Amino acid sequence: MSHVAAIVARCQALFEDLNFTAAREWKEAAPGRIVVGFMPFYVPRELIHAAGGLALGVLGGGDQLEVIQGDAYYQSYICRIPRSTIELGVTSRLDFVDAMLFPSICDVIRNLSGMWKIMFPKVKSRYVDVPQNFSDAVGGSFYVSELGELRDILARLAGREITDDALRNSIAVYNENRALVREVYAFRARFPWKAPSAEVYLLMRAGMVLPVEEHSAMLRDYLDATAREERPRRDNSRVVVTGAFCEQPPLSLIKSIELAGCYIVDDDFMLVNRWEKSDVAADGDPLAALSHAYLHDSLETAAKYQPDQSKKGQWLIEAVQRSGAEGVIFASASFCDPALLERPMLQRALAARGIPYIAFKFAENSGQMQPIREQAGTFADSIKLWSAA
Amino acid sequence: MKSFIGIDLGSTTTKAVVLDENQDVLGRGITNSRANYDTACKVAKYEALLGARFTLLARALQGIANQDEFLSALERGFRLDLFLDHVDDLEATCREKASGERFKGHEDGVATALGNIFAALRADADELFAPGARRKSDFFRDLAGARFMAVGEAAANAAGVSYDLLLNVYDKAIIEVENRPPQGEIADRLSRALGRLGELPESLAIPVRSALDIEMEETSVVGTGYGRVTLPFAKENIRSEILCHGLGAHMMYPGTSTVLDIGGQDTKAIQVDPTGIVENFQMNDRCAAGCGRYLGYIADEMNIGLHELGPLAMQATRTVRINSTCTVFAGAELRDRLALGEKREDIIAGLHRAIILRAMSILSRSGGVRDQFTFTGGVAKNEAAVKELRLLIRENYGEVTININPDSIYTGALGAACFAHRAAIH
Amino acid sequence: MSTAIPTRPAGAAKPQAVVKDGSMLKQKEMISGNYARLESAVTDGRKVVSTFVPGNLNELIMCFDVLNNLPEINAIQNGMRKKSGGYIMEAEKRGHSEDVCTYVKADLGMIEKGNLGPDGQKLPDPNLLLLSYTGCFTFMKWFELLRDRYNCETAMLHVPYQGDGQITQSMISYVVKQLREEVIPKMERVSGVKFDIDRLRENLARSARAEEDFVWVLNSAKSKPSPIDAYFGGVYYIGPIFTAFRGTEDAVEYYQLLRAEIAERLANGQGPVTPNGDMGPERYRLVVEGPPNWTSFRDFWKMLYDDGAVVVASTYTKVGGIYDQGFRHDPAKPLESLAEYCLGCYTNRNMPSRIDLIERYMNEFEADGFLINSIKSCNSFSAGQLLMLREIERRTGKPAAFIESDLVDPRYFSPANIKNRLESYFQMIEQRRAGHVPARAA
């Protein structure tokens, strides 16, 4: 087994382990450790880290989890991630998690925060509100206060004070991790055949369950190993995949897109890994630094308001340009309000620039890849035809 | 004697159950619902009352040698009598229909041909109801239609008329005839059937007479099922099928706490209290995923009979995970799996599991599975579905007694009859 | 005080009289007056602001002499007039997913089809989109979509969610700051009118007066029989206070009229008025969760009152503010009061608080059952309702029922299905009430 293959195999094993054994073992390895689960798209993981905790990304159950009880809580017109997340909860797969954080992404996840309080009263459940007003004095001051509340909650849970120094240290640790994540993305955009999307996806997923330091080491290792490995380059088109920032597509879908002739050169699968676009200030007031980064230096997604109409969708055009993509694939979870309501506006922005796109929907447990392969394949072919014309 | 009747007007079949004062089942009847609920209701009730009469006969003849043989001869006689009445009706109706512009100049030929066809139908009738004769169906439409088609063409040729003309007449007439409820008293018809059996020995004649002489009073009738609003019943004599289903399951298995019914159109999970009264219920939501119809689509997609699905799934060596219970997507998912090289029986096993998983979630919504658990509806006859259900119930709720009654199709009608009894007694 | 208005021309099969009370006539005038003002806004040189019902700032909007246009109300009106189906299809044709909110699609479809209001006149383009982002995520996307269409100024008021079931000082100060620094300056700029806090105080004082009478009406349902239907009828009662009239003298008068009418019914021991006249004997008292379906509103209502079911309390009548739990707009602290109002709206409360509120209603209004009308469009309401159902059953021991429909998508209302479930439900309550008659088993 090559070194790359070994890294990927480790990631794959972590990805498939719906009992989160690695995180459980981490928690048991030393007394006083806490594990804090969080859902997409973003939480300030630095606070958890500074409390001596592990930030555990809970991204649903994927296509290998049979949802038996979770379905009893949702109507047929609601997406799948909350069902499988409840299934993980009621089947005790998350019984080692001390707290669950539910970000402000949509009404379904928002309501799940309250459901969790009722269903799992021993777990500290917290809705993480983020400002939609981007002035420091208004939205910023609200967010600093929210961060402060969360800091107190985590400190109580961990039984230790979260000092500013500890927070600054955690910010630095995550800055390093984010830099490596950005590097992986940049590497893939340049050499997509050397960093297939399924591999990059699994690497990023590993960051959801591993301690950040271990994840950083893994990313470094992977970059190093894959750069040295020769792999065949295919005549694929280059696409940005967007709309899958919450419920995750099955791995087979990501593979299908690439097999059908599209290199994925950017995506929004796990925004939390690179939410802040550059380093967060690791000196001064750490909460103010986190807030400042959120307000002024973070990615965009459907859950975040864009106050400036002229900038709507600009980030996607920039992503296309930065990654050298030739088209965009909108892959959204069925019944995903943010992604699906956002989509027409993004499509308009792309159309204005002449950037081609296609759109389809998935569920985390979609079983049929044939339509995906067909659509992605046709898209890849037509991109080539257009660029040849 | 008093009798209490429940009628369940389903979307495909209509069922009736007759109870006596002790709430023992006297008779059951079933017929296709047709377009006309009123007739379906009368036919089912007629059949159930006939069954009731036979139960009374059987009770009267208890301990008498050869009673089974006698009763079966009597029933054949009754069916024959009924059949011949229907044939008369059909012939008369056919002759009525054979008029108008189309038939100008062919009146005599059509009359001759019809005369010959119906003579043949009558001649064959005894054989049709002979001991041991196998009939594909007991519905008059099927019996008469098959014979009509068998002899019609020859009769048309012989009379020098077009077979199409005869078919046209038949098609119009049969709809009228089958929508006419059976005429005449059951007891009278039974007397005639008895006459066909010749002189009875004293040991039979006396109890038979006494059983036939019992006056059956239709004390109370309650209707249920999708067609219930169209029933010619007062509102207080109508109960929802959920209530009837719950009570019916309780009547069949008094220990019932949870009922699951998977029918063609919907899936119901019902919780009942120790007296059979519904405490809670859930039905599949607006999406029909996971109903019996899902299996129907699969069977169509694979070009096999619905009843073949279960046995096929039982041959599976593993269960393929099927993620879509969406009926519309089921076919696509099936083809996708086949293309991936999965074995047909393993996929079908997966489909059965998928439908039961949906049922599990509806059960969970209604309050879970409690002991005892009674499973009804068409899917309860599917062994592969039952196997998955047993497995999942054990995994999720532990050891639970699971009841499946071969007569579960009558559950709703039985509950309705029980409501009829309660209404009359209280 | 009652006036009979025939709804069909003479000679129709069965002339049916709909009884309209004075309050209904008053409200009708108010609504058509507002539409008339909107339609002549351009000629009259008046400015228009579009905003949402939950967390709306009508008292503040009035301070700037601008008109208030509510896209949700337009969608509802179009739903009741059977126009929404076509509008939704229009929006879907233009790339909107079949999965998302039909209020949004009905609104966008209406705009595409010429933006004609309920009485066929063109509605004006807004001068300001006032996005009160309260209790519903979709609002934010809806306004971005409208902004995309109108290219006009947009003010965002982000109302934080009560994740832990309480309003904190930090939340209030966040909302107040946004009012001061974002909303008011933009309103001033668009309207050319300087903000006058004393005017706001006067408006708020009128709001509080109307709220007092409104709460009295809601609480009248505690009587047996209830003189009102707090869901189907309640939808009319919330009209003025949830929309463009809170803070007006008209609204004060409306609630005085309404209160007097209900007091009279109460004194006479009468039940609610339905579209078919007085309701028959009250047989089932229900608490209802979730918005109504608008395309088959009357058919749906009829399924209940035909069986003697009356809704004694509902959560939908709390989406624009929960007044019966004590909140009043307060002229003494105008901006803070607006903030508290926004923060307190029903769908801005977390699931445990919503369940607690329903439990309180079940007990205080002595309900026989709990009915959820689960709306496909509205995840803010719907996600979690099945847990709510369990919890209410567990806590109260009363049976709950669950039906599904949509706001304004006629494709999503299945009358046979809903009727079947409701009938089963009522009979179940009846059977349980009749006591446990021993069957054969016993």
Side-chain angles (χ1 to χ4, degrees), chain A residues 242-243 245 302 312 316 328-334 336-350 357-362, chain C residues 92 94-100 141 144-145 148:
Chain A
T242 187
F245 45 79
K312 188 76 201 172
L316 183 55
V328 173
I329 293 181
F330 290 90
S332 324
S334 291
C336 175
D337 278 344
L340 294 170
L341 286 161
E342 182 86 344
R343 201 173 68 185
M345 291 182 277
L346 297 180
Q347 289 178 340
R348 225 167 74 107
L350 292 178
Y357 57 82
I358 54 166
F360 50 73
K361 291 188 290 186
F362 65 84
Chain C
E92 288 178 2
R94 288 168 183 272
H96 287 275
S97 169
E98 63 270 31
D99 291 356
V100 302
K141 295 291 115 181
E144 283 187 340
L145 286 159
D148 214 28

Side-chain angles (χ1 to χ4, degrees), chain A residues 63-69 71-77 80 83 365-371 373, chain B residues 285-287 321 323-324 329 332-333 336-337 340 353 357-358 360-362 364-365 392 395-396:
Chain A
D63 62 354
Q64 293 305 306
L65 181 71
E66 215 165 39
V67 172
I68 296 169
Q69 300 179 63
D71 256 349
Y73 294 90
Y74 289 102
Q75 302 88 325
S76 56
Y77 53 76
R80 193 169 190 272
R83 311 162 192 269
N365 66 335
S366 288
Q368 307 122 265
M369 289 304 139
Q370 187 52 33
R373 285 194 294 271
Chain B
D285 47 32
R286 218 187 151 284
C287 166
R321 191 190 307 284
N323 290 323
S324 173
F329 291 143
E333 177 137 13
D336 219 37
R337 299 285 173 176
L340 287 172
R353 185 171 174 86
L357 281 174
R358 285 289 299 174
M360 290 299 290
S361 98
I362 293 166
S364 169
R365 278 185 203 182
L392 281 164
E395 281 171 16
N396 289 280

Side-chain angles (χ1 to χ4, degrees), chain A residues 73 75 77 107 110-111 117 126 129-130 132 137-138 141 145 302 306-307 309 312 335 337 342 348 361, chain C residues 99 135 137 140-141 144 147-148 151 158 160-161 163-164 170 174 177 181 347 374 379-380 382-383 390:
Chain A
Y73 294 90
Q75 302 88 325
Y77 53 76
D107 295 331
R110 184 197 73 181
N111 287 5
K117 285 179 195 282
R126 169 86 178 177
D129 219 340
V130 287
Q132 303 288 3
V138 183
S141 111
S145 141
Q306 170 51 265
Q309 189 189 352
K312 188 76 201 172
F335 305 108
D337 278 344
E342 182 86 344
R348 225 167 74 107
K361 291 188 290 186
Chain C
D99 291 356
F137 174 85
M140 189 168 92
K141 295 291 115 181
E144 283 187 340
R147 184 180 65 183
D148 214 28
N151 295 308
H158 173 212
Y161 181 65
D164 284 337
S170 150
Y174 177 40
K177 270 192 220 167
E181 295 179 26
T347 52
S374 177
N379 286 341
S380 175
S382 303
R390 283 184 187 201

